[in-house]
């Protein structure tokens, strides 16, 4: 993948223009109340920039899975209210069940420079997730310029992030997308070395392409989490009742061989925290990696492994981390994940955290502001690490 050089909101002049911005306002709601507003806050820099530049700012997003029909409990109306408070100016909510309906058109028609309108949940329309032509054209008809700032859906080709770009002359990325491209895309492509990747999580099968792609790029690949037991078993160890994917034993061996051929240091655990049941009340003991007794299961990396992994991070210049080292949701098996998070918090390296569980773990532990970049997209960040072209990124104009 060549370096990505996309036009951003800094490369365009939006004065007096209608700017449609695809945001990620997919916030958790409980009884109509927003329980975590991080995504709204994260969208503010791009929105404020466009307001300051005198654009007519039309925002759109999906929220949850209304499955192509209006579901009042998944309306974006509460987001408009909170956004208005955060911006300190009116945000007109265009309550159209068909998203681009009479209310939306009238609201856009009435806009002055610097005004903000929020459209209804794009997934009220069945065509949205199918990248249908009609809805893409309707969205495009509202604007002169399109800005994509929703990384969480960048790995999907939908009307509101990809289809719409076919019917507008100018399609650029916002600040959030730019940051994801800079770190997950370009830093991984052209890293400062040594470059260390840490992969964890439950399954080898869901990270096959990530392991394969990263082995082409990194100096050291560290493996933890449930997926390490498939490697341990493949190398002749006993894993007891640990997570094991029998179908991937050969794949694990192939990856060990590929690492050798590429001169990549592949670090696998040397010890585990074994438990007699999948529970925080389980009896536990530290065991050597390939010696997990029958009836026991490895639910976290052991202390020696945690130290080895932390040491490997210390001398790195770039670190990418995706997936927890153990069942960190249970405090008894969170130590390995904590140790890695702490090591990343304390290094001077560029630290890039893939979305999903590792991002949640880093934030929970209070290390969020110590990391260079925490991705906002779980699935999208994984596909970036697989070296895939993301449709939502590809659709933006090149510089
Ligand atoms: P993933 O969605 O593949 O990134 O996996 C995340 C999940 O992997 C978390 O819910 C962890 O609890 C789980 N996990 C991590 N280590 C283990 C392990 N040793 N055994 C079982 N599950 C694990």
């Amino acid at each position: 993948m060549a370096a990505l050089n996309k036009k951003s909101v800094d490369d365009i002049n939006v004065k007096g223009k209608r700017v449609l911005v695809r945001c990620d306002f997919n916030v958790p709601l409980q009884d109509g109340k927003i329980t975590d507003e991080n995504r709204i806050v994260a969208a503010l820099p791009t929105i404020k920039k466009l307001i300051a530049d005198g654009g007519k700012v039309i925002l759109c997003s999906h929220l949850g899975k209304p499955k192509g029909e209006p579901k009042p409990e998944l309306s974006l109306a509460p987001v408009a209210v909170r956004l208005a408070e955060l911006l300190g100016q009116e945000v007109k909510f265009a309550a159209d069940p068909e998203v681009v309906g009479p209310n939306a058109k009238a609201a856009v028609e009435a806009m002055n420079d610097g005004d903000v309108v929020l459209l209804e949940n794009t997934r009220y329309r069945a065509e949205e997730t199918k990248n249908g032509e009609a809805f893409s054209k309707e969205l495009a008809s509202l604007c002169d310029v399109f800005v994509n700032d929703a990384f969480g859906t960048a790995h999907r080709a939908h009307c509101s992030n990809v289809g719409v770009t076919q019917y507008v002359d100018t399609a650029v990325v916002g600040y959030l997308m730019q940051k994801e491209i800079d770190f997950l895309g370009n830093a991984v492509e052209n890293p400062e070395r040594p470059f260390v990747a840490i992969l964890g999580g439950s399954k080898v099968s869901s990270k096959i392409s990530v392991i394969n792609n990263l082995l082409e790029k990194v100096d050291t690949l560290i493996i933890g989490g449930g997926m390490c037991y498939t490697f341990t078993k493949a190398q002749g160890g006993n894993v007891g009742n640990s997570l094991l994917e029998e179908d991937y034993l050969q794949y694990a061996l192939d990856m060990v061989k590929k690492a050798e051929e590429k001169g990549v240091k592949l670090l696998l655990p040397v010890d585990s925290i074994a438990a007699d049941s999948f529970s925080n009340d389980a009896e536990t003991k530290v065991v050597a990696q390939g010696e997990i007794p029958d009836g026991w299961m490895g639910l976290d990396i052991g202390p020696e492994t945690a130290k080895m992994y932390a040491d490997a991070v210390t001398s790195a210049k770039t670190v990418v981390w995706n997936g927890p080292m153990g069942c960190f949701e249970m405090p008894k098996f969170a130590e390995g994940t904590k140790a890695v998070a702490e090591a990343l918090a304390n290094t001077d390296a560029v630290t890039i955290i893939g979305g999903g569980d590792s991002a949640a773990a880093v934030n929970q532990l209070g290390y969020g502001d110590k990391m260079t970049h925490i991705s906002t997209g779980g699935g999208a960040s994984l596909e970036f690490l697989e070296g895939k072209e993301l449709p939502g990124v590809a659709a933006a104009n090149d510089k």
Side-chain angles (χ1 to χ4, degrees), residues 24 32 57 60 74 85 141 173 200 241 330 397:
D24 180 1
V57 185
C60 69
L74 292 176
E85 289 166 3
S141 74
V173 297
N241 286 350
M330 295 186 266
N397 301 152

Side-chain angles (χ1 to χ4, degrees), residues 251-307:
Y251 172 81
L253 290 178
D254 291 347
M255 290 303 107
V256 171
K257 187 154 167 261
K258 179 167 176 174
E260 270 167 29
E261 284 167 6
K262 296 262 167 202
V264 173
K265 203 193 250 181
L266 178 65
L267 297 183
L268 290 160
V270 292
D271 59 353
S272 271
I273 306 292
D276 64 354
S277 69
F278 190 80
S279 151
N280 198 46
D281 302 323
E283 198 182 312
T284 62
K285 56 185 175 188
V286 177
V287 296
Q289 185 62 10
E291 297 172 20
I292 298 176
D294 291 348
W296 291 68
M297 62 192 88
L299 293 184
D300 194 8
I301 54 173
E304 228 183 286
T305 307
K307 188 171 176 315

Side-chain angles (χ1 to χ4, degrees), residues 218-271:
V218 299
D219 300 293
T220 302
L221 180 64
I222 294 176
I223 292 193
M227 65 177 172
C228 73
Y229 300 101
T230 299
F231 284 83
T232 305
K233 177 80 179 176
Q235 293 179 318
N238 284 333
V239 298
N241 286 350
S242 306
L243 248 188
L244 174 65
E245 289 177 286
E246 299 270 1
D247 291 349
Y248 289 89
L249 293 170
Q250 185 56 46
Y251 172 81
L253 290 178
D254 291 347
M255 290 303 107
V256 171
K257 187 154 167 261
K258 179 167 176 174
E260 270 167 29
E261 284 167 6
K262 296 262 167 202
V264 173
K265 203 193 250 181
L266 178 65
L267 297 183
L268 290 160
V270 292
D271 59 353

Side-chain angles (χ1 to χ4, degrees), residues 35-50:
T35 55
D36 179 349
E37 64 182 30
N38 273 331
R39 287 182 166 161
I40 305 178
V41 173
L44 295 175
T46 297
I47 298 171
K48 283 184 176 167
K49 151 89 178 158
L50 295 168

Side-chain angles (χ1 to χ4, degrees), residues 238-394:
N238 284 333
V239 298
N241 286 350
S242 306
L243 248 188
L244 174 65
E245 289 177 286
E246 299 270 1
D247 291 349
Y248 289 89
L249 293 170
Q250 185 56 46
Y251 172 81
L253 290 178
D254 291 347
M255 290 303 107
V256 171
K257 187 154 167 261
K258 179 167 176 174
E260 270 167 29
E261 284 167 6
K262 296 262 167 202
V264 173
K265 203 193 250 181
L266 178 65
L267 297 183
L268 290 160
V270 292
D271 59 353
S272 271
I273 306 292
D276 64 354
S277 69
F278 190 80
S279 151
N280 198 46
D281 302 323
E283 198 182 312
T284 62
K285 56 185 175 188
V286 177
V287 296
Q289 185 62 10
E291 297 172 20
I292 298 176
D294 291 348
W296 291 68
M297 62 192 88
L299 293 184
D300 194 8
I301 54 173
E304 228 183 286
T305 307
K307 188 171 176 315
M308 175 172 85
Y309 288 4
D311 286 348
V313 164
T314 310
S315 53
K317 284 272 177 9
T318 307
V319 188
V320 170
W321 178 24
N322 188 289
M325 295 292 99
C327 296
F328 76 106
E329 297 93 337
M330 295 186 266
K332 225 176 200 169
F333 309 108
E335 292 304 316
T337 301
K338 267 191 206 167
V340 166
E342 206 169 274
L344 261 66
N346 291 329
T347 170
D348 293 332
V350 171
T351 47
I352 303 163
I353 315 298
D357 281 332
S358 0
V362 162
N363 284 325
Q364 253 171 42
L365 294 167
Y367 294 131
D369 57 358
K370 295 261 168 61
M371 304 300 166
T372 313
H373 178 64
I374 301 180
S375 176
T376 52
S381 71
L382 259 189
E383 291 201 15
F384 233 149
L385 294 178
E386 289 174 2
K388 283 192 187 152
E389 182 180 80
L390 305 189
V393 175

Side-chain angles (χ1 to χ4, degrees), residues 16-21 47 50-51 54-59 89-94 103-119 142-144:
K17 292 190 180 147
R18 299 167 306 159
V19 189
L20 178 66
V21 191
I47 298 171
L50 295 168
I51 294 171
K56 298 179 168 107
V57 185
I58 307 153
L59 308 173
Q89 76 171 71
E90 189 193 359
V91 173
K92 181 145 186 58
F93 182 63
N103 282 335
K105 288 176 190 163
V108 170
E109 188 68 28
M111 287 177 97
N112 292 312
D113 295 357
D115 281 356
V116 181
V117 165
L118 173 63
L119 305 183
L142 291 180
C143 69
D144 308 301

